[in-house]
Amino acid sequence: MKTANYNIRLNPAIKTKAEETYAEFGLNLSEAINVFLHMSIKWAGFPFDVRNPRLNAETLLAVQETEQILDEYASGSRSPKTIANVSDLFSAMDAEDKMEGDDV
C-alpha cells in the first residue's frame, strides 16, 4: 500500500504524552493518527464530542474538594466512615451541614 507523508507541528510535551498514551495500545503516533483519520471519515467528522466544558464555580469547588478527599484517603490521613443504614446516613449528613453552618 502506498503512503503519503504529512508533516505537522506539535508541542513537544503534548507529543511525548500522546506517544506514551498510544504506546499503551501498542500504537505509535503515526498509527494513532491513522486511526483518528479513519474514524473521522467513518463518522463524517470528529469521532468524539468537541466542546469546551463550562463548569460553574460550585462544580469546580466540588471537583477540588473531591480531589482533596481522594488525596487524603490515598495518604491515609482520612478513613472512610461506616454507615449502618439510610437513617444513619441522613443523620450524619445533617450533622455535617450543621458543623459547616448550612441551614437546611
Side-chain angles (χ1 to χ4, degrees):
M1 172 171 64
K2 286 188 170 185
T3 60
N5 290 326
Y6 187 80
N7 294 320
I8 60 174
R9 292 188 184 117
L10 299 171
N11 174 308
I14 296 295
K15 178 180 180 276
T16 299
K17 287 181 182 178
E19 288 171 330
E20 292 168 355
T21 298
Y22 294 120
E24 293 178 16
F25 294 97
L27 300 172
N28 63 37
L29 195 52
S30 179
E31 293 164 330
I33 291 169
N34 274 299
V35 169
F36 170 80
L37 294 175
H38 282 279
M39 294 304 293
S40 295
I41 293 165
K42 179 178 180 174
W43 292 102
F46 284 99
F48 47 80
D49 287 340
V50 178
R51 57 186 163 180
N52 186 10
R54 302 203 180 197
L55 305 176
N56 63 29
E58 184 178 5
T59 302
L60 287 172
L61 187 62
V63 168
Q64 291 170 347
E65 182 180 355
T66 301
E67 289 172 346
Q68 179 183 350
I69 290 169
L70 291 173
D71 288 344
E72 290 172 1
Y73 282 138
S75 71
S77 63
R78 179 186 279 232
S79 299
K81 296 177 183 174
T82 302
I83 306 284
N85 55 51
V86 174
S87 178
D88 289 351
L89 171 64
F90 286 121
S91 295
M93 290 169 59
D94 289 341
E96 281 187 18
D97 287 343
K98 287 178 183 172
M99 285 180 21
E100 294 173 1
D102 294 341
D103 293 328
V104 179

